[in-house]
Amino acid sequence: MFSFQVHHPTTNTAIIADDGTRLTYGDLSDFSGSVNKVIPNRCLVFLLCRNTPGALCGYFSFLTGRIVPLMLDSTINGALLAGLIKTYKPQYLWLPDHRADEFMPAKTVFSGYRYSLVKLETNEGFPLHDDLAMLLATSGSTGSPKFVRISYENLAANAGSIADYLAIGEHERPVTTLPMSYSYGLSVINSHILMGAAILLTSKTLLEKDFWRFVKEHKASSLSGVPYMYKILKRINFMQMDLPSLTTLTQAGGRLSSELVHEFATCCAGSGKKFFVMYGQTEATARMAYLPARYALQKPESIGNAIPGGCFSLVDENGTEIEEHDTIGELVYKGRNVSMGYANGYDDLMKGDENHGVLFTGDLAKRDSDHFYYIVGRNQRFIKIFGNRVSLDETEILLEKIVPECACTGQDDHLVIYITDMNRMAEVKKYISAVTEIHPTAVSVRHCVEIPRNEAGKTHFFLPDIT
Amino acid sequence: MTNAEKYRETFITLFGVTKNELQKLEYQGVDTWDSVGHMSLVARLEETFDIMMETDDIIEFSSFLKGIEILRKYGVRL
């Protein structure tokens, strides 16, 4: 029976939180023992994540106790949460104390570090596949019922590869900058827990004074960010900050412009830091590729090559492998971190591995003669907004509830919606940012007289040429 | 429009709040004033008042009222 187990000295510090909490790996395993006494059987738990000791202690307890968490953000809207509870029938919820009341009369059966374990008596248990470790959302907080099924092997393999290429040791101190419910944020936690390092836990953002005070006080050694966070770092003059302990910067969650890669790589090279451009998807647990820091200046547009233990290939439209360099095809990844498949409801949780270690990424890429890979586009209709995947087709379906005709397009960090009714542009913008939580500044609503469609009724897009 | 009006208007249009909410408005107090919203706020205020804000001021700009104090340092009469 496989689970995610670590065997670090019990005196090693595991968590340093911005509220002053300090916990060792010994404390974590004691806490885990208590949680697992309360939850007798393997079952599904909704974990409402926040970068706080309560959330992380719960997460650690579930993983080591073979209880399956479905990861959500703690601020998830009540109606979306209720919908997911119906779809997945969890027996327990692990959530911040202040949200426990929403589930009255359901009882809180355990609590610790300002988190409560609420038992939903009305939900009975159901079988879970033996290998299933957790469920991760495919996109942000859109309330989509589609989750990725991650196995214990996936977790261990990916955390191990990441720790390997980033050379993570027990003296590392990453500071949290991303939500735990987001695969990239979680991968930072997993890879450091695996190595017995201490995690600096904060839910403060890069734009708060207290965040930087915390980073300095506890000598954070690494920081991770999605593209828009690097724009923020640039604007707040990160490159001029005196942070000698901070030696590693990682970037994933979408493409960072080569200009910014170049700027950060130059600055890092000059101050003894390493800057890693990385590539991944939740379907691969988190990471699939990284660009070694020493190549960031030389090949700022590349995602590098597959992580240790993984490998890439490119296939053409017929599924034939492309051998030549500089030829575009779909990027295919193989590795032990390729997830088991998707789930759309509780009865999918007994399913076994459907991917067999192979992931068709949906990204179009090419490889140069030095075997470095470059993402050049996508063959699926989605964009990434602030690191989160947004399906354009799903967004159109949402919009069809309020307007008869629409078409969605755009680019990363910018959704463009075309509608035919000129008087409803403000309403559409308000509606879409309310239901999807996409920031309104990242949405443009434009008017067109008619949505261009082909004979089959499919929208005819004038998309930018990606080749 | 006076500077004070321009300042208020920036918050109202950017964060979709009402005039009555402004006095108590804080960073992350509404969904729209998150880190993305904050960067837009800074950019718009810089454009409106033709200033360039320092790092410390960007990260200390934690509320509607605090912002008034900060902008005054740049000679904006509010």
Side-chain angles (χ1 to χ4, degrees):
Chain A
M1 203 77 86
F2 204 75
S3 72
F4 191 79
Q5 298 292 352
V6 291
H7 305 280
H8 305 308
T10 52
T11 52
N12 265 26
T13 304
I15 294 174
I16 300 172
D18 63 359
D19 65 358
T21 310
R22 239 175 207 270
L23 297 171
T24 62
Y25 279 89
D27 296 330
L28 279 188
S29 73
D30 291 348
F31 188 85
S32 174
S34 313
V35 171
N36 292 308
K37 243 179 248 163
V38 182
I39 305 181
N41 300 311
R42 185 163 154 79
C43 64
L44 182 70
V45 179
F46 275 16
L47 201 172
L48 271 66
C49 303
R50 228 179 121 68
N51 286 326
T52 58
L56 189 51
C57 285
Y59 174 71
F60 185 86
S61 306
F62 300 146
L63 271 195
T64 52
R66 287 183 50 79
I67 289 153
V68 178
L70 180 145
M71 308 290 277
L72 295 167
D73 193 86
S74 71
T75 60
I76 183 172
N77 146 318
L80 295 182
L81 179 58
L84 289 171
I85 289 175
K86 261 192 191 149
T87 314
Y88 280 97
K89 304 185 189 299
Q91 281 182 281
Y92 297 90
L93 311 171
W94 179 244
L95 75 189
D97 286 342
H98 69 89
R99 291 202 71 167
D101 295 350
E102 292 171 36
F103 299 91
M104 297 278 251
K107 279 202 197 94
T108 296
V109 291
F110 179 83
S111 57
Y113 302 110
R114 299 187 197 155
Y115 257 65
S116 302
L117 187 69
V118 170
K119 184 164 195 213
L120 301 176
E121 298 281 359
T122 44
N123 287 345
E124 284 174 17
F126 52 84
L128 296 164
H129 194 279
D130 249 5
D131 298 338
L132 183 67
M134 70 164 80
L135 295 160
L136 290 176
T138 49
S139 61
S141 39
T142 56
S144 159
K146 195 170 171 187
F147 280 75
V148 177
R149 293 181 288 124
I150 306 284
S151 72
Y152 293 104
E153 188 186 3
N154 291 158
L155 278 181
N158 210 219
S161 305
I162 295 168
D164 178 358
Y165 75 75
L166 290 178
I168 297 171
E170 63 172 18
H171 299 296
E172 284 294 315
R173 284 182 167 197
V175 61
T176 54
T177 46
L178 300 159
M180 249 178 86
S181 50
Y182 176 51
S183 58
Y184 178 19
L186 193 63
S187 74
V188 174
I189 289 173
N190 291 336
S191 53
H192 287 84
I193 286 183
L194 184 75
M195 303 313 290
I199 292 160
L200 301 186
L201 266 185
T202 177
S203 38
K204 299 261 178 338
T205 69
L206 300 177
L207 286 164
E208 284 167 282
K209 212 177 166 182
D210 288 344
F211 175 85
W212 296 104
R213 193 178 293 142
F214 183 62
V215 161
K216 282 179 190 156
E217 186 184 341
H218 296 287
K219 300 190 165 56
S221 63
S222 71
L223 192 144
S224 35
V226 297
Y228 89 89
M229 293 166 69
Y230 277 89
K231 290 185 194 160
I232 292 178
L233 287 174
K234 184 185 167 175
R235 181 60 189 85
I236 61 172
N237 284 320
F238 171 81
M239 300 183 208
Q240 267 79 56
M241 289 184 194
D242 180 31
L243 300 164
S245 306
L246 192 77
T247 50
T248 305
L249 295 182
T250 67
Q251 183 271 320
R255 184 182 174 153
L256 185 65
S257 72
S258 56
E259 292 79 20
L260 275 181
V261 173
H262 203 271
E263 271 185 57
F264 277 94
T266 309
C267 146
C268 286
S271 56
K273 303 185 199 309
K274 284 181 175 169
F275 178 56
F276 291 90
V277 172
M278 321 193 294
Y279 164 81
Q281 283 179 6
T282 306
E283 284 82 348
T285 310
R287 193 79 46 253
M288 286 185 274
Y290 77 105
L291 178 68
R294 63 182 183 280
Y295 290 107
L297 278 172
Q298 221 176 311
K299 296 181 187 272
E301 284 173 342
S302 173
I303 58 161
N305 206 330
I307 57 173
C311 73
F312 277 142
S313 59
L314 293 168
V315 296
D316 66 17
E317 283 156 1
N318 307 315
T320 313
E321 195 167 332
I322 297 168
E323 306 285 349
E324 305 81 32
H325 49 77
D326 298 319
T327 309
I328 293 169
E330 183 175 359
L331 186 64
V332 180
Y333 175 83
K334 278 184 198 165
R336 291 197 302 139
N337 54 310
V338 173
S339 61
M340 302 167 76
Y342 293 114
N344 282 297
Y346 76 93
D347 49 359
D348 288 336
L349 305 188
M350 61 186 96
K351 285 185 184 165
D353 181 9
E354 294 172 325
N355 288 331
H356 307 290
V358 182
L359 179 68
F360 285 77
T361 64
D363 284 320
L364 301 175
K366 63 181 183 183
R367 175 178 54 222
D368 70 14
S369 50
D370 298 328
H371 298 277
F372 283 68
Y373 285 79
Y374 299 79
I375 304 291
V376 296
R378 293 185 187 122
N379 65 5
Q380 291 165 347
R381 291 231 310 132
F382 71 83
I383 55 175
K384 282 204 166 184
I385 302 223
F386 309 128
N388 286 313
R389 203 183 300 173
V390 174
S391 157
L392 297 173
D393 293 332
E394 276 176 34
T395 309
E396 284 173 7
I397 293 167
L398 282 174
L399 283 165
E400 276 162 15
K401 289 180 186 163
I402 65 157
V403 288
E405 281 244 281
C406 70
C408 292
T409 169
Q411 64 201 42
D412 283 359
D413 293 347
H414 201 97
L415 171 68
V416 180
I417 301 168
Y418 286 94
I419 57 168
T420 50
D421 187 346
M422 204 189 295
N423 301 316
R424 302 185 62 188
M425 291 166 64
E427 181 196 346
V428 161
K429 185 163 178 160
K430 205 165 177 184
Y431 168 79
I432 207 68
S433 35
V435 295
T436 62
E437 296 184 8
I438 295 173
H439 201 276
T441 56
V443 181
S444 297
V445 181
R446 293 180 192 160
H447 171 254
C448 61
V449 183
E450 192 185 3
I451 305 282
R453 296 190 193 277
N454 68 13
E455 286 147 6
K458 213 169 172 278
T459 308
H460 183 69
F461 284 99
F462 299 96
L463 285 173
D465 188 7
I466 47 172
T467 54
Chain B
M1 241 199 279
T2 65
N3 281 346
E5 281 167 347
K6 286 182 194 162
Y7 183 70
R8 283 198 296 268
E9 203 49 44
T10 307
F11 284 81
I12 292 168
T13 50
L14 201 55
F15 302 140
V17 293
T18 62
K19 213 170 170 180
N20 302 330
E21 293 173 81
L22 290 177
Q23 295 297 316
K24 286 187 179 162
L25 195 64
E26 290 183 345
Y27 176 57
Q28 290 187 329
V30 286
D31 287 348
T32 40
W33 194 357
D34 58 5
S35 52
V36 174
H38 195 68
M39 295 314 283
S40 309
L41 175 69
V42 169
R44 288 208 196 168
L45 292 174
E46 287 182 335
E47 198 185 306
T48 307
F49 299 112
D50 195 22
I51 54 171
M52 189 73 190
M53 284 165 65
E54 302 278 338
T55 302
D56 283 350
D57 294 321
I58 297 174
I59 62 178
E60 275 168 33
F61 200 128
S62 52
S63 68
F64 176 82
L65 292 177
K66 182 81 187 166
I68 295 177
E69 236 176 80
I70 290 170
L71 290 197
R72 281 183 181 149
K73 287 203 313 193
Y74 290 88
V76 178
R77 297 177 61 150
L78 281 166

